[in-house]
Amino acid sequence: MNVTDADVNMTAPVDSWMSLNDVVSRSMIVVLLGITINYINATMVHTFSSHYIFKTNPRYILFIHLVLNDMILLTVTVSLFLLAYIFNTIYVLFCALLIVPAVLTTQNTPLNLLFMAVECYISVCIPLRYSQLCTVKRTYAVIGTIWAVSFLSVLPDMILLLATESQQFLFGLVVCHRDKVFRSSYSVNKRDASHIVFLVIVWLALYYTFFRILFVAKTADANANKATNTILLHGFQVLLCMIVYVQPKFTQFLLFLFPGQARLIYFAVFVISQILPRFSNPIVYGLRDATFRKYFKRYLSCGVTKHILPQT
């Protein structure tokens, strides 16, 4: 999937003309957005872990895995953004250690959405087999499979980096960008091919589940109609994920239109491609569910109250 996964990260070095105020203000915006979203997500994780009803439901387990995945991704990408702004270049091996979790969590997202759509399809189209097919044990096995597939996708890049690059490069400084670290033609071609395969599989599955559920929805079943809307939201989230995959070309296009606004463009593209999708996930999935929303609002309001009104 293109610079994509790691675009997750990478802004170009800070130009000498860029004012300190710009660096500080944009960094603060990114940090505050990251902290806010991670606080909301952490509250959702606490809500999930505090109630047995959620921990035994495959739907909630997949959802909270998506939330945890987003927390890791957001933490890593914000760190990479700040490093690019503050230090310009960092050591190659340290950069690689940050890029790997960024790539893994970016690739996990569409796969997680795929299995959430499959779970929705089973609950509506073959409900009599739901308890047999969608068990807690199988759900955790699916999560393990998601991580294994993503890890196997990036493992050859790490092996190639350590096996083919010189020690001078490995212990040198570089602009922390995936293409700057995993720079072999094999890595680039494999990345593009794997991105295409991932997205084709996910979109085919979403189309199939959507039209199957849509067919069932014609019976005017309320659950089927709700499931149809859910699949549409899965598609919307995958579209947001795809922003990361087209980010390099989109950035180049904007730089062509506005050549004097490079820093602003890098900042805006980062917010759109990395922060916006992370912000929408809790709203699209967590707050739409009446049961989860009831408990989540309780914990969120308690947390805010404790910060505003400290205990006496």
Side-chain angles (χ1 to χ4, degrees):
M1 304 164 187
N2 218 342
V3 218
T4 310
D5 301 317
D7 267 334
V8 160
N9 39 278
M10 324 326 168
T11 51
V14 179
D15 298 315
S16 58
W17 51 262
M18 187 175 184
S19 70
L20 180 61
N21 286 338
D22 288 334
V23 175
V24 173
S25 61
R26 292 172 189 175
S27 297
M28 287 298 296
I29 290 173
V30 169
V31 170
L32 289 175
L33 287 173
I35 292 174
T36 301
I37 296 171
N38 272 350
Y39 174 76
I40 295 172
N41 285 339
T43 305
M44 288 191 162
V45 173
H46 178 67
T47 302
F48 169 85
S49 61
S50 299
H51 297 279
Y52 184 77
I53 186 177
F54 300 135
K55 292 186 283 187
T56 57
N57 189 314
R59 182 170 302 172
Y60 293 116
I61 294 173
L62 287 172
F63 164 67
I64 217 64
H65 174 252
L66 182 66
V67 170
L68 287 168
N69 188 79
D70 280 352
M71 291 178 69
I72 297 171
L73 176 57
L74 191 61
T75 300
V76 174
T77 55
V78 169
S79 300
L80 287 166
F81 179 89
L82 294 177
L83 286 171
Y85 259 56
I86 297 172
F87 298 109
N88 295 351
T89 58
I90 62 176
Y91 288 102
V92 170
L93 289 179
F94 181 60
C95 175
L97 290 175
L98 291 175
I99 288 179
V100 168
V103 173
L104 290 176
T105 49
T106 300
Q107 293 190 164
N108 284 348
T109 300
L111 293 177
N112 200 103
L113 293 172
L114 165 64
F115 285 108
M116 290 175 73
V118 171
E119 184 275 336
C120 186
Y121 162 78
I122 294 173
S123 68
V124 173
C125 297
I126 43 177
L128 297 180
R129 298 192 61 193
Y130 181 85
S131 59
Q132 176 187 354
L133 296 175
C134 298
T135 64
V136 172
K137 184 176 181 180
R138 287 186 175 182
T139 303
Y140 283 112
V142 162
I143 292 173
T145 302
I146 290 173
W147 281 93
V149 170
S150 296
F151 180 74
L152 290 175
S153 173
V154 75
L155 180 61
D157 295 331
M158 288 297 298
I159 294 175
L160 201 61
L161 173 68
L162 297 175
T164 62
E165 297 291 356
S166 65
Q167 287 192 357
Q168 182 180 5
F169 175 76
L170 292 176
F171 293 99
L173 296 171
V174 68
V175 175
C176 194
H177 188 291
R178 184 177 182 179
D179 281 353
K180 300 293 185 181
V181 177
F182 304 114
R183 54 185 185 172
S184 72
S185 58
Y186 168 80
S187 294
V188 174
N189 294 333
K190 180 197 66 65
R191 178 198 62 202
D192 293 341
S194 64
H195 287 185
I196 293 172
V197 171
F198 270 53
L199 290 179
V200 168
I201 292 175
V202 170
W203 275 112
L204 287 177
L206 287 176
Y207 277 123
Y208 177 78
T209 54
F210 172 75
F211 286 109
R212 289 286 294 174
I213 293 173
L214 187 64
F215 178 77
V216 174
K218 291 182 179 179
T219 62
D221 182 275
N223 289 330
N225 284 315
K226 182 179 179 180
T228 303
N229 294 332
T230 300
I231 298 298
L232 285 174
L233 289 173
H234 288 328
F236 171 71
Q237 288 302 101
V238 173
L239 280 175
L240 288 180
C241 295
M242 289 175 62
I243 294 176
V244 178
Y245 305 146
V246 301
Q247 177 177 337
K249 298 295 183 183
F250 181 59
T251 302
Q252 290 177 11
F253 175 71
L254 291 178
L255 289 173
F256 175 77
L257 293 179
F258 309 102
Q261 300 293 328
R263 291 294 90 212
L264 180 59
I265 289 172
Y266 283 120
F267 167 74
V269 170
F270 176 82
V271 172
I272 294 171
S273 64
Q274 292 303 324
I275 293 183
L276 179 61
R278 311 287 84 78
F279 179 76
S280 63
N281 278 343
I283 298 174
V284 168
Y285 299 113
L287 300 184
R288 287 183 66 247
D289 186 280
T291 304
F292 193 89
R293 182 173 65 246
K294 178 179 68 174
Y295 292 104
F296 170 72
K297 289 170 66 177
R298 181 186 307 171
Y299 287 115
L300 186 64
S301 60
C302 288
V304 172
T305 302
K306 286 181 181 179
H307 282 85
I308 298 177
L309 300 174
Q311 294 180 350
T312 57

